[in-house]
Amino acid sequence: MGPVSVWQWSLWGLLLCSLCLGSPTPSTAPEKRAGSQGLRFRLAGFPRKPFEGRVEIQRAGEWGTICDDDFTLQAAHVLCRELGFTEATGWTHSAKYGPGTGRIWLDNLSCSGTERSVTECASRGWGNSDCTHDEDAGVICKDERLPGFSDSNVIEVEHQLQVEEVRLRPAVGRGRRPLPVTEGLVEVRLPDGWSQVCDKGWSAHNSHVICGMLGFPSEKRVNVAFYRKLRKRAAKASARRSKPLGRPVTKLKAKPKTRMGRGPIKRKDFERILSLFELQSPLILSFQRLLAQRQQHSFGLHGVACVGTEAHLSLCSLEFYRANDTARCPGGAPAVVSCVPSPLYAASSGQKKQQSKPQGEVRVRLKGGAHPGEGRVEVLKAGTWGTVCDRKWDVQAASVVCRELGFGSAREALSGARMGQGMGAIHLSEVRCSGQELSLWKCPHKNITAEDCSHSQDAGVRCNLPYTGVETKIRLSGGCSRHEGRVEVQIGGPGSFHWGLICGDDWGTLEAMVACRQLGLGYANHGLQETWYWDSGNVTEVVMSGVRCTGTELSLDQCAHHGTHVTCRRTGSRFTAGVICSETASDLLLHSALVQETAYIEDRPLHMLYCAAEENCLASSARSANWPYGHRRLLRFSSQIHNLGRADFRPKAGRHSWVWHECHGHYHSMDIFTHYDILTPNGTKVAEGHKASFCLEDTECQEDVSKRYECANFGEQGITVGCWDLYRHDIDCQWIDITDVKPGNYILQVVINPNFEVAESDFTNNAMKCNCKYDGHRIWVHNCHIGDAFSEEANRRFERYPGQTSNQII
């Protein structure tokens, strides 16, 4: 009876309150979530924008952070809604916004994304964590507020000013300057605009950080005397400009005339007249503007003291001028920085290429990135490339990689195979860099075994790049989205720039990849030679033709083309180049060890090869064979093709254009999918085979990946990310016809997607090579490897391989 009485009393109490107080007034603010009462949220850390940062929660009056263990985008969605944003667009790990302080309130946070409060998510419990603040999680929210959101429980921490962006403004010269800008006045963008930095106490460490942010690997000393001299001349010229000229020349006392019929001019007046011309000097004019800005208190930052390992200026010790500060940078001047570009960008900036000392072979590279300066980190060890495990991977280690490759500091250190999974060895783990190392190999690290880490933990980086402005010289028109359209390029000189089209002749995937890269839109899904279905607007002139790219160029200007002489086989704007770009792409890789393990020779009777002959899977000499008698000697092997990219591999042609082959009872979705070749050591082809992708499907997948493609019943064809397609050695056309090959030492080569019909993030790993010895009866295949898996020296040894003198392979 006790509980019932209490409940009844509660109901009567609510009724009396409603009678006494009347009906409550409706509120436009969202209902306060019961689960979040007593909690406050804020975004913290540097560098960041208002809608991103380290997540901090106040509980029981104490602020704390969240550990990144098991953190997902779903958890970020919940936290962004707690912070008043509509959703999350991403999340960060490893204290990207700097380590927090105090308690770590949540660990192993697991949300479905639909929770109304973070308290509804599973975790280890409040305050129960085995993490450090180096593992603090952050969120990147969509810059869109929830309607009617009341931010009484949201605190924006660190209301003081923060550096949002940095640039170099050239202090001398005018007109169009080559990009990137490598020397100039340091300017920082604050919430109220661009400001200069006082150079009092400025050090080389500060310059190193600035250059890293701007995409340059290192800095050099600035000619301070040159800038000081220009400042003095500018001040002197400004003073002269404010004074009137001396007595007119006509009022001067007459002097004996010279041969020219004119009297000499006084030295003082001559200097004043000369000052008029001096005032027109671009150097002086630039510094006059500079001095004017100084007098208007354009300084916003002073007392900068960097260690040199920071990835962003906001991480350095610095001070901001206050609005009421009247004396700014007394006795100082704007800070000037000079950066050293890598050879990749030195030519575009007009700098002379310096003769550098010969260096050893590159031991670090990036693979799988959609943009320059980003990708999966791979390192060279014992002549073989391998990946880096993401354990303890941070911005300092990522910055060492970026600078080693000729870029600036790191924008982001990526974990969890964000740039696709590698294949083969994992060489390094638990890399701990201070940021001062010249190479990743100089950092303390741990050599790991196979069970310590998997390729799902491959580390990656995004580096700061110099601004070159190449994206302003190309655009897309007519497409349904900004990722597709007819390609237009800008040509002409200063004052006569205009836009034109590109001839579609020979335009393909490689050219489209360069165009998408220049546009900053990632990879190319398709390179189109006809674009009549996209409206070209007022641009109808074809200004570029014969474009042929290798696929690695940064802009179309770097590709071979006809120059000013435009030649098109098919004229008209309907036959101009177009692209469809994407931020993700597939990446096919052949399992080389399986080829080596399964290779053997079979003598197959001709009466069993009619279908194979119909599909052109035999050598040309088979046409003159005595059918159906005799046999063909076939080198058979299995192929296991993995998709390690970030998008599914799909045939170029839609299923409406697939070709049915009655003989084998299947559809061909691509004319050529792989090339199989036998080469002599000097590269001469002695036998070949090719295989149409009659059945692209997911044979097997990784544990957490489901199959999506199956060929049965006219199903969709393709290879899912994380899956592989297995072509067994005992199916038709999975061979090379070596009937006419003489005994000797050869190279077996397999190339996937040889005609680049389908876009991939990396074509350099599409080829596989093996050494093989054929004695006329048996074959030995060994040393199989992906084309880019070896070092340059190891590849040279492979190409110089003299061959086996016996059947014993060491």
Side-chain angles (χ1 to χ4, degrees), residues 412-665:
E412 193 172 357
L414 305 173
S415 64
R418 293 265 301 277
M419 290 295 168
Q421 296 188 22
M423 199 169 184
I426 301 175
H427 287 329
L428 301 178
S429 180
E430 298 185 18
V431 180
R432 303 298 286 175
C433 300
S434 67
Q436 298 176 336
E437 296 85 354
L438 297 179
S439 171
L440 190 68
W441 285 100
K442 301 293 184 181
C443 302
H445 59 270
K446 177 182 177 184
N447 294 317
I448 64 173
T449 57
E451 58 271 13
D452 287 335
C453 204
S454 67
H455 282 295
S456 62
Q457 298 169 269
D458 284 342
V461 297
R462 285 197 178 101
C463 305
N464 287 314
L465 302 181
Y467 176 72
T468 59
V470 294
E471 71 278 4
T472 63
K473 300 177 182 179
I474 186 173
R475 68 186 184 187
L476 300 181
S477 66
C480 298
S481 72
R482 70 184 191 93
H483 289 85
E484 65 177 37
R486 180 183 279 114
V487 180
E488 297 179 2
V489 292
Q490 189 185 70
I491 63 169
S496 61
F497 289 112
H498 66 280
W499 292 92
L501 304 173
I502 300 177
C503 178
D505 294 346
D506 301 321
W507 181 267
T509 302
L510 296 180
E511 290 72 32
M513 287 186 70
V514 176
C516 291
R517 182 180 300 121
Q518 184 177 352
L519 286 160
L521 298 178
Y523 305 108
N525 266 351
H526 298 288
L528 307 169
Q529 297 184 358
E530 295 185 24
T531 53
W532 50 268
Y533 39 84
W534 283 330
D535 180 20
S536 62
N538 298 326
V539 179
T540 58
E541 180 188 3
V542 176
V543 298
M544 184 180 287
S545 64
V547 180
R548 301 303 298 266
C549 305
T550 63
T552 59
E553 296 88 351
L554 297 178
S555 67
L556 290 175
D557 289 341
Q558 299 176 359
C559 300
H561 56 87
H562 288 160
T564 57
H565 180 66
V566 177
T567 303
C568 246
R569 293 192 300 270
R570 299 180 298 173
T571 59
S573 60
R574 62 176 296 171
F575 299 110
T576 54
V579 295
I580 301 176
C581 304
S582 172
E583 285 293 330
T584 58
S586 59
D587 186 17
L588 298 187
L589 201 67
L590 184 67
H591 187 14
S592 57
L594 185 63
V595 174
Q596 183 169 317
E597 294 166 4
T598 57
Y600 66 97
I601 287 178
E602 178 193 9
D603 290 335
R604 192 165 183 81
L606 283 174
H607 68 83
M608 302 177 67
L609 293 172
Y610 279 104
C611 284
E614 179 184 326
E615 295 188 9
N616 198 28
C617 294
L618 299 176
S620 57
S621 62
R623 300 191 188 98
S624 58
N626 187 21
W627 292 80
Y629 309 104
H631 67 272
R632 304 296 294 182
R633 177 156 291 181
L634 309 175
L635 170 59
R636 285 185 172 274
F637 51 87
S638 296
S639 298
Q640 186 171 297
I641 301 171
H642 294 248
N643 183 2
L644 301 179
R646 291 186 285 156
D648 295 352
F649 183 90
R650 300 297 307 280
K652 180 179 181 180
R655 46 195 301 176
H656 63 279
S657 60
W658 295 354
V659 179
W660 172 260
H661 278 244
E662 187 67 33
C663 190
H664 283 142

Side-chain angles (χ1 to χ4, degrees), residues 737-748:
D737 185 352
I738 61 171
T739 306
D740 306 321
V741 176
K742 298 178 181 179
N745 293 289
Y746 298 98
I747 294 174
L748 167 63

